[in-house]
Amino acid sequence: MKTKKAQVKTQQMAFMLLAITLFLVLAGLFVLMFRFAGIKEVATALEEKNALLLVTKIANSPEFSCGEVYGTGNINCVDGDKVMAVKKNIKDYEGFWGKGVSNIEIRKIYPREETIICELGNYPDCNTIRIISGEIEGISTENFVSLCRKESEEGETIDKCEIAKIMVSYEEIR
């Protein structure tokens, strides 16, 4: 009789240890789940911030920037003629703007017309310059810029600036 009681007590203790271990494991997983729940949101916010910084960096890069050509050293001023030259030689700039850039586009804001993609033959009578034209995926961000170019009017060279939006799509890092 005593050995049966001892066996029952040993089994009870084994089940209790197993139950306590299982409870602690589940409680630990529950705590970890709440602890790491916000990491994806923080990573997404950081990627969006990086995309916005990339837009500003691209607008002010020497390949796009107006510099002193139009009388002032404005930030967020994009030279349309330079952009078209970069577009023509885009293969030389592969990977220049970093990994993950899938689309770079500059679109005139006013006047709002149907989308006319800029090519060398129809520039400047167009309203959308697609520098890198990939699929728009991941995080897409935009910033307003001045799109300027030199234009000849009545035999005189004038500076013509228009309001535009530069848009960059940046692939999400998984």
Side-chain angles (χ1 to χ4, degrees):
M1 232 352 162
K2 282 189 176 185
T3 46
K4 278 192 174 186
K5 271 189 174 181
Q7 284 178 348
V8 169
K9 293 277 184 190
T10 305
Q11 284 179 347
Q12 284 178 346
M13 185 171 64
F15 284 128
M16 280 305 291
L17 287 174
L18 188 63
I20 289 173
T21 303
L22 186 61
F23 173 75
L24 289 175
V25 166
L26 288 176
L29 288 174
F30 193 69
V31 166
L32 284 175
M33 186 177 73
F34 276 113
R35 177 90 172 143
F36 294 117
I39 286 182
K40 185 165 176 97
E41 289 81 19
V42 169
T44 302
L46 193 59
E47 286 175 353
E48 287 174 0
K49 184 178 177 183
N50 283 340
L52 187 59
L53 289 172
L54 181 65
V55 167
T56 305
K57 175 185 158 188
I58 286 173
N60 294 316
S61 70
E63 287 76 18
F64 289 175
S65 177
C66 295
E68 299 292 327
V69 174
Y70 297 97
T72 60
N74 291 337
I75 60 170
N76 290 341
C77 177
V78 174
D79 189 335
D81 298 330
K82 282 184 178 180
V83 171
M84 290 304 292
V86 168
K87 179 180 175 167
K88 181 181 172 188
N89 300 311
I90 195 64
K91 298 230 184 289
D92 296 338
Y93 290 91
E94 192 172 315
F96 180 74
W97 291 288
K99 278 183 150 181
V101 176
S102 61
N103 191 40
I104 300 176
E105 182 175 301
I106 300 172
R107 185 176 298 158
K108 292 180 192 174
I109 301 295
Y110 184 81
R112 186 103 178 160
E113 300 170 354
E114 66 181 65
T115 301
I116 302 170
I117 306 298
C118 292
E119 300 297 334
L120 290 177
N122 67 352
Y123 177 76
D125 299 323
C126 53
N127 60 5
T128 303
I129 303 172
R130 289 194 176 139
I131 300 149
I132 298 176
S133 56
E135 285 186 37
I136 298 174
E137 58 184 30
I139 298 167
S140 184
T141 188
E142 53 194 42
N143 197 7
F144 291 99
V145 294
S146 298
L147 182 62
C148 299
R149 68 178 183 277
K150 296 282 185 184
E151 199 169 270
S152 180
E153 191 172 288
E154 298 175 5
E156 201 175 306
T157 302
I158 62 167
D159 300 336
K160 183 163 185 182
C161 294
E162 300 169 299
I163 298 172
K165 229 182 347 183
I166 184 167
M167 297 172 280
V168 175
S169 294
Y170 196 79
E171 292 175 10
E172 283 186 88
I173 301 169
R174 300 186 195 274

